[in-house]
Amino acid sequence: MQWLKINFTLLFLFSFQSYALERDMLILTSPEFEGRPSGGAQPHRSAYYITRQFEKYGLEVRFDQFEFDYGFFDSATGHNVVATQYCRRALCHSPIVITAHYDHLGTRGSRYFPGANDNASGVAVMIDIARQLQGMDVNRNIIYVATDAEEKGLHGAKAFVKQLSSTQVHMNINLDMLDLQRKNKLYALASRSLQPMKEAITSTFASTPVKFQLYFSAKIMARRLNAPQIDWLRASDHYPFYRADIPFIYFGAGMDKHHHSVNDSLDKINFEKLTQVSNAITKFVLSQVSNNAAVTN
């Protein structure tokens, strides 16, 4: 009977978590959010929604406004959402930065692009990580950055990295397109400087239902995924961190045939698998911020 009670509790928690992920993605991909366009003078309504979710979990949240060039002669304004869970210890190690871009393609005429996998999935998982880690005694600040204008040239990540100046960062974890596809596999591309952590990284995923493959070479990753046209190093917001010599791990599910189309919609998302992905990545983040974490800086 006790075993049944425990399993019922776990089932309830799993169902609630899946519901929360689905709710966040339902809202982020809704017609009212207009495909989450970037470049407005004020933060888009999706940025305000993300802010409210982070605030629910006790994080300090701010907007970081930045300007970026768009096209040959135009410029526009972007707005990153930056939320921080603070280390409260006497000795805190260098922060970890988790990124996921919230912008998408907006509208084209009467159509809007929902951007469910790209990248409402990454944003929803980032919010879920914050939910799972709320109130924990962490040994380093966790900085969550919902970046803007990724689709127009990684501008939100570039602006955030630029303001870091000499601040040392333990690691960037970038989340982009996390819905597991037919291969049912989560891929990760990590900077070569993290090769000594290979066993620690892969062992974190060994006990999860998620099939996990780690790469330290973008070329090898492209070849193994049969996607030679994709430069996975430059494909998302981890690239500005790489350029700044900040260690990174990019998590993604590989190619999506609905990428940048109106068919990248909520009905394509497998929320049971997305919940497993969120739990697996949260477990890895926890390994970097807990008492037992291997501290490298």
Side-chain angles (χ1 to χ4, degrees):
M1 183 63 70
Q2 184 65 29
W3 179 86
L4 288 175
K5 288 181 179 178
I6 292 172
N7 278 270
F8 179 79
T9 301
L10 291 175
L11 179 62
F12 173 79
L13 291 174
F14 187 88
S15 298
F16 174 80
Q17 180 186 10
S18 181
Y19 162 78
L21 285 165
E22 188 166 0
R23 175 206 61 203
D24 288 340
M25 290 190 62
L26 176 66
I27 293 172
L28 289 170
T29 61
S30 65
E32 290 76 17
F33 276 43
E34 310 160 317
R36 307 186 303 280
S38 61
Q42 300 297 322
H44 188 262
R45 66 185 64 182
S46 53
Y48 286 105
Y49 176 79
I50 295 165
T51 296
R52 290 194 298 271
Q53 304 319 299
F54 281 138
E55 288 176 340
K56 285 197 315 188
Y57 304 128
L59 305 185
E60 180 180 287
V61 190
R62 71 176 191 269
F63 286 127
D64 276 356
Q65 181 174 305
F66 59 92
E67 304 298 318
F68 64 95
D69 294 329
Y70 182 53
F72 290 105
F73 306 107
D74 296 329
S75 63
T77 303
H79 303 85
N80 290 337
V81 181
V82 183
T84 305
Q85 179 175 346
Y86 287 102
C87 168
R88 305 295 183 183
R89 301 182 183 185
L91 175 62
C92 295
H93 303 289
S94 54
I96 193 167
V97 178
I98 303 176
T99 51
H101 76 90
Y102 71 91
D103 68 297
H104 194 54
L105 302 182
T107 59
R108 299 289 188 278
S110 61
R111 301 183 304 168
Y112 84 100
F113 292 77
N117 193 21
D118 184 19
N119 185 36
S121 65
V123 174
V125 166
M126 182 168 62
I127 293 171
D128 191 56
I129 293 171
R131 180 190 63 80
Q132 294 192 61
L133 299 184
Q134 65 176 314
M136 285 192 177
D137 178 25
V138 294
N139 64 13
R140 59 177 87 245
N141 290 351
I142 306 174
I143 305 172
Y144 301 89
V145 188
T147 58
D148 195 6
E150 188 269 358
E151 298 285 3
K152 294 180 177 177
L154 315 182
H155 294 293
K158 291 175 182 177
F160 180 81
V161 169
K162 187 179 296 184
Q163 74 179 22
L164 289 175
S165 62
S166 60
T167 301
Q168 192 176 33
V169 173
H170 173 60
M171 182 188 301
N172 164 238
I173 296 174
N174 184 38
L175 313 174
D176 198 349
M177 298 177 61
L178 295 176
D179 180 48
L180 297 188
Q181 305 298 309
R182 283 187 178 181
K183 292 183 179 180
N184 197 33
K185 187 175 289 185
L186 179 69
Y187 300 98
L189 175 65
S191 54
R192 295 183 188 276
S193 62
L194 295 181
Q195 283 184 315
M197 290 181 58
K198 179 178 180 179
E199 184 176 349
I201 297 169
T202 54
S203 64
T204 304
F205 293 87
S207 60
T208 70
V210 175
K211 296 179 182 179
F212 179 68
Q213 183 65 57
L214 174 65
Y215 297 96
F216 295 97
S217 164
K219 290 183 179 180
I220 293 176
M221 181 173 172
R223 187 163 64 247
R224 296 286 174 82
L225 270 65
N226 195 28
Q229 74 278 19
I230 304 296
D231 185 343
W232 295 101
L233 178 60
R234 293 171 171 80
S236 187
D237 281 334
H238 50 280
Y239 183 59
F241 290 88
Y242 163 80
R243 291 291 303 271
D245 293 322
I246 295 172
F248 73 87
I249 301 181
Y250 153 62
F251 291 103
M255 296 291 292
D256 184 345
K257 65 181 181 180
H258 302 300
H259 182 238
H260 283 190
S261 79
V262 294
N263 295 318
D264 181 9
S265 50
L266 197 68
D267 60 299
K268 309 296 191 306
I269 304 296
N270 186 316
F271 283 98
E272 180 180 356
K273 292 181 180 180
L274 190 64
T275 302
Q276 294 171 355
V277 167
S278 183
N279 288 338
I281 296 176
T282 300
K283 184 178 179 182
F284 173 71
V285 174
L286 186 59
S287 76
Q288 300 302 303
V289 300
S290 67
N291 287 330
N292 298 323
V295 176
T296 58
N297 52 54

